[in-house]
Amino acid sequence: MSGPRAVVSRASGFSRLSRAARLRKLRELVALSAASEAYLSGDGGLSFEEAERMSENVVSTFGLPLGLGLNFVVNDREYVVPMAVEEPSVVAAACNAARMVRACGGFRAEADPSVMTAQVELEGVPEPDLAPPRLAARRADVLRACDAAVPRLVARGFGARDLEARVLDREEGVVVCDLFIDVGDAMGANLVDTIAEAVAPLIGEIVGGRVGLRILSNLPLRRRVRVTCELSDDVLGGPEVAVAISRASRFAELDPLRAVTHNKGFLNGVDAAAIATGQDFRGIEAGAHAFAAHGGVYRPLSTFSRTARGLLGRAELPLAVGTVGGSTAAHRGVRAAFEILQVESARELAGVLASVGLASNLAALRALATEGIQKGHMRLHHRKDAPPAAQSREVTLGGEP
Ligand code: MEV
């Protein structure tokens, strides 16, 4: 990741500005193309023709509010984070938490190389226990065949990295070969599906039996992102608030029912930024919840623990996101979102998304552990029922964004 940029995302009082003033402010923060300016000044969404190219049986399009996550600093870089979400207070909450974290040095994020998992399933394998060693012995041939299916990816320095075979059912000879592919800056679903289909006959030849499914796994265990933040008691509102947040986090560690809601709060931020940047948020959700349950008990993806002078927030999850491919080029709103976010790689994007998740989680725990969530949430919620002119600019979960 490169060094600090000129962009400064801290835009106090942003929520109280008119739309035109917000867009002016955004232009001060990030350089926007004429196309993105036009998109952001309009009603958003897609033309029918664009929508037709993306899906089937299209009769119309479906809009969501696009807000800006402000105050984010990740690895010493400033980010303005586009967030598409219908739930009131998600954006405001993330901004408020990001402001606290920013005052204490920002988020630290680190993402693994973009290694996706492709699966080739085999059935009726005659000697299933010999399949893993047989595949290990032909590892180089299989990886070479994987690479041959995606020459352009390989030319960019990415491609097949490893394989692993597991016996799933000895009686029926069900074996799976997991292929680990570095997909670079793509989310990678199409790349690894192409590889799985191309290499399956060779794998079948090596281990015998019939080739079954050939598809990615949405639990990319080798594509994880880790994020941390440290907060002082002062910035949180005192040591009692820090203790209350750590207790709220502990509740999620003790109880899977609570952990699900805790993770939902974390994913509020991840999904909003993922949707704005055109990511496969269903894949993200599937992977995140599977990872949460991976140890056999459903656990929180993030925790906040007490330190001598405040709190340490930590999160880890698999995150398959891309800056190229998918709808990143097909959707004008997504292109505008990338101009706003200014990330240079899929790994950087993963770090920002996880930071937004941790911010959302922190804001939720802070509200829950102090005044409760409803006061601020309902104030924003009721805004939906008011006629546009009467709508308040108030925002909540700890102040304005
Ligand atoms: C609401 O969208 C999210 C929360 O329920 C998260 C949580 O309980 O931690 C407030």
Side-chain angles (χ1 to χ4, degrees):
M1 290 182 196
S2 49
R5 295 171 303 173
V7 172
V8 173
S9 65
R10 192 171 192 287
S12 286
F14 192 82
S15 62
R16 288 193 308 267
L17 300 177
S18 66
R19 182 186 185 189
R22 287 180 198 169
L23 285 171
R24 264 199 308 279
K25 191 86 191 164
L26 177 61
R27 279 195 295 272
E28 285 169 23
L29 299 174
V30 295
L32 291 173
S33 65
S36 292
E37 285 226 17
Y39 179 86
L40 293 169
S41 315
D43 278 341
L46 291 168
S47 68
F48 180 76
E49 290 68 30
E50 287 166 321
E52 273 274 81
R53 286 199 291 273
M54 293 175 76
S55 187
E56 303 78 37
N57 296 352
V58 175
V59 291
S60 187
T61 59
F62 187 89
L64 277 178
L66 178 69
L68 298 181
L70 302 172
N71 309 326
F72 277 91
V73 174
V74 183
N75 295 339
D76 302 322
R77 288 185 72 161
E78 306 271 355
Y79 294 91
V80 177
V81 184
M83 297 175 75
V85 60
E86 88 301 343
E87 183 177 335
S89 88
V90 168
V91 176
C95 293
N96 290 324
R99 187 172 47 191
M100 290 177 218
V101 174
R102 173 195 185 91
C104 301
F107 296 92
R108 294 275 140 205
E110 175 231 345
D112 293 336
S114 305
V115 175
M116 285 298 269
T117 310
Q119 298 200 290
V120 175
E121 183 216 11
L122 297 124
E123 298 158 358
V125 174
E127 296 167 300
D129 287 328
L130 293 183
R134 280 181 176 149
L135 279 166
R138 298 283 303 278
R139 181 177 180 277
D141 294 334
V142 175
L143 298 189
R144 207 172 306 115
C146 291
D147 282 345
V150 285
R152 284 188 305 167
L153 182 72
V154 174
R156 291 202 303 277
F158 306 109
R161 296 291 180 257
D162 199 5
L163 65 76
E164 219 172 71
R166 294 174 289 129
V167 179
L168 302 182
D169 186 325
R170 200 159 279 118
E171 301 278 280
E172 295 183 17
V174 183
V175 171
V176 66
C177 177
D178 295 328
L179 302 161
F180 300 100
I181 317 292
D182 188 339
V183 294
D185 288 320
M187 182 271 184
N190 287 328
L191 286 165
V192 300
D193 291 350
T194 298
I195 288 174
E197 291 186 6
V199 82
L202 174 61
I203 293 176
E205 211 179 284
I206 295 169
V207 302
R210 294 178 302 281
V211 170
L213 301 193
R214 298 145 299 161
I215 187 74
L216 89 166
S217 167
N218 280 115
L219 180 58
L221 284 169
R222 299 197 188 185
R223 193 177 187 177
R224 297 190 209 177
V225 57
R226 289 159 287 279
V227 59
T228 59
C229 63
E230 285 197 64
L231 295 124
S232 66
D233 287 341
D234 283 354
V235 102
L236 287 163
E240 58 294 341
V241 178
V243 169
I245 293 172
S246 69
R247 289 214 182 109
S249 173
R250 180 93 182 111
F251 178 17
E253 290 183 69
L254 294 172
D255 180 23
L257 264 70
R258 171 58 204 154
V260 174
T261 321
H262 176 106
N263 288 345
K264 191 273 184 182
F266 180 92
L267 290 164
N268 269 344
V270 177
D271 283 347
I275 291 170
T277 54
Q279 307 300 320
D280 179 353
F281 59 92
R282 289 89 53 211
I284 291 173
E285 285 272 337
H289 292 296
F291 185 67
H294 198 53
V297 178
Y298 189 93
R299 307 260 312 154
L301 297 166
S302 52
T303 56
F304 285 90
S305 50
R306 187 82 178 110
T307 61
R309 292 185 314 278
L311 274 183
L312 172 64
R314 272 193 254 242
E316 181 174 25
L317 71 160
L319 207 46
V321 292
T323 56
V324 295
S327 59
T328 54
H331 191 298
R332 279 176 294 138
V334 171
R335 291 202 297 273
F338 273 109
E339 282 182 24
I340 295 170
L341 191 57
Q342 297 187 18
V343 288
E344 282 153 26
S345 68
R347 294 167 75 182
E348 186 181 354
L349 176 62
V352 174
L353 260 53
S355 301
V356 182
L358 199 56
S360 300
N361 184 217
L362 170 64
L365 295 190
R366 186 169 179 274
L368 287 164
T370 55
E371 65 172 17
I373 207 86
Q374 281 308 81
K375 190 170 159 217
H377 188 77
M378 291 319 284
R379 192 164 65 225
L380 287 180
H381 201 71
H382 285 136
R383 202 175 51 179
K384 283 196 223 165
D385 305 328
Q391 285 178 7
S392 149
R393 293 258 177 267
E394 271 178 301
V395 283
T396 188
L397 297 188
E400 69 186 36

